[in-house]
Each structure stands twice: as structure tokens, then as C-alpha cells.
Amino acid sequence: LWRCDIIRSGKPFVIVVSGPSGVGKSTLAGRVLASFDNLEKSVSFTTRSPRSGEVEGENYFFIKREDFKKRMEKGEFIEYAEVYGNLYGTSINYVEKRLSEGRNVVLEIDVQGGLTLKEKRPDAVLIMVLPPSLEQLENRLRGRKTDDEGTIVKRLDNAKREIECSDSYDYIVVNGEIDRCVEDICTIIKSEAMRRERINLRKDVDYKW
């Protein structure tokens, strides 16, 4: 695990990881989270049904659409969006609690949610994960064998729109080889943690040379 007193004494921040469906965001996020000792994944709320193997409170908080809308009206979400007919949202309290505890938070959310969050938290770091090509993305989507033809076409169309939004993100990484991509994202996080405006220099250390 990569440890650094500068991160622990500095201001924690939010890292957003976005990208087209099928680009490997979940796998990448899991590998990145395992590489740091003070990084935590934010668990989103969603109205969709759990998929095979998904765990309540670990992958998502699964709630009814009516409950989600009530939370929206109360302003409980720092960002929310509708994706493929399902609602997804990130709890303000969930994120702020982790940040107050000194933990950096990773959000694996869509582009719309990422841009909304950036407006509310300008210090957030937005990372866009792209496939090497749309052809390879299509191969990955078909290889999963979880979607019908109509859904695959819709995901590819949406991928094109997300790629067009990449100019609004802080960083772009290409997931051509997963180990290299994980390394790239970890490097971004390390660099961002050491930005001058995030660091509170320890008072018990003499920084004079």
C-alpha cells in the first residue's frame, strides 16, 4: 500500500472515475482502491434491481423510485442522474462524512453526474477512462453477454456522447492494458494529493535546509 504523511496531513478530496459502459471502470476502481490505505469508494443509491453477486451497501444502496425522488426533493444528493431508465445518486452526507474523517473518496459515476459534482465541489478530480477504440469497446460489450442487441447499440451511442464530454474532465486515461491504466490512475491521485493547495505542512517538522 502506498502511504504518505503528506496525504494524511493534507486536505482530503474526491476522485471521480467515469467512462463508457464496458470500459472497465469497476475493475479499475477496485484495483486503485486496493493500492491506497486511505481511499474509500462512495456507495451510490440506485433504483435499478441488484445484479447477480451484487451486495446491498457494498455495490449500491438499492431503493424504490419513490424513495429516491423523496431524497432528491430533500436535497440529499450531491449529484444524481438517470441512466438507461434507472436513477443513480450520491449522498452528500456519505461523502462529507468520509472527507471529514480524512479519507479521500472515489466516485464511479457517469459523465453527467461527474460534471454536476464538479460544479458543487471544484476541488474534485475528474478522470475519464476511455477504450482504445469504439470497436474494442463493442467487442467488450458483446463479450459480456449480458445485453441484447438494442441495449448494446444504445450503450455505444451513449459512449460517443461521453467521449465528446472528455474535454470537461481533468484527466484522460486509455484502458488498453489494465495494469498500465491502474498505474496511470494511481499516479494521478498521488500527484493531486501533493498539490500545494491541499497540503498542510506538519508543524513538528523543520522544513528548512
Side-chain angles (χ1 to χ4, degrees):
L1 294 177
W2 186 78
R3 298 186 59 179
C4 179
D5 287 340
I6 288 179
I7 287 185
R8 291 193 176 281
S9 62
K11 181 181 179 182
F13 57 101
V14 173
I15 302 103
V16 172
V17 178
S18 301
S21 177
V23 79
K25 297 185 297 297
S26 296
T27 300
L28 289 168
R31 292 274 298 273
V32 170
L33 285 161
S35 301
F36 293 85
D37 65 348
N38 67 327
L39 197 61
E40 183 171 337
K41 180 183 177 182
S42 173
V43 181
S44 299
F45 286 80
T46 182
T47 60
R48 75 163 173 78
S49 301
R51 293 171 182 163
S52 177
E54 289 185 330
V55 179
E56 167 72 20
E58 182 176 323
N59 299 101
Y60 288 98
F61 294 112
F62 299 97
I63 61 176
K64 299 294 185 181
R65 196 176 187 90
E66 296 75 16
D67 187 9
F68 193 102
K69 288 188 173 181
K70 288 179 181 178
R71 292 173 182 269
M72 282 173 51
E73 293 169 358
K74 293 179 180 178
E76 294 184 11
F77 296 124
I78 193 171
E79 63 81 26
Y80 61 86
E82 184 164 0
V83 183
Y84 303 116
N86 297 303
L87 294 169
Y88 295 81
T90 303
S91 165
I92 294 175
N93 290 338
Y94 189 100
V95 172
E96 294 298 333
K97 183 176 186 297
R98 272 66 185 177
L99 293 174
S100 68
E101 294 170 347
R103 301 185 65 80
N104 303 297
V105 182
V106 173
L107 276 68
E108 183 192 326
I109 56 180
D110 78 315
V111 173
Q112 181 183 343
L115 296 179
T116 299
L117 187 142
K118 186 74 169 181
E119 292 178 358
K120 297 179 179 179
R121 291 199 67 94
D123 63 326
V125 177
L126 272 56
I127 303 173
M128 174 74 76
V129 180
L130 298 181
S133 68
L134 284 174
E135 181 180 4
Q136 289 194 37
L137 180 64
E138 181 175 355
N139 291 337
R140 292 178 186 178
L141 289 172
R142 294 189 183 283
R144 297 193 307 188
K145 297 181 179 180
T146 56
D147 301 316
D148 58 28
E149 183 64 24
T151 300
I152 290 175
V153 171
K154 185 182 296 185
R155 291 188 188 282
L156 289 171
D157 287 341
N158 193 54
K160 295 174 183 177
R161 288 192 292 271
E162 289 184 306
I163 291 171
E164 291 175 355
C165 293
S166 60
D167 288 347
S168 299
Y169 269 57
D170 300 308
Y171 297 93
I172 297 175
V173 295
V174 177
N175 188 15
E177 198 282 312
I178 190 165
D179 288 338
R180 176 61 182 274
C181 193
V182 169
E183 181 181 347
D184 289 343
I185 295 175
C186 288
T187 298
I188 290 170
I189 294 173
K190 293 174 187 178
S191 298
E192 284 290 335
M194 291 183 282
R195 289 180 67 91
R196 176 185 53 77
E197 57 267 30
R198 298 194 201 282
I199 296 175
N200 298 317
L201 294 178
R202 289 171 52 184
K203 296 181 179 180
D204 60 333
V205 175
D206 184 359
Y207 290 95
K208 296 179 181 179
W209 286 275

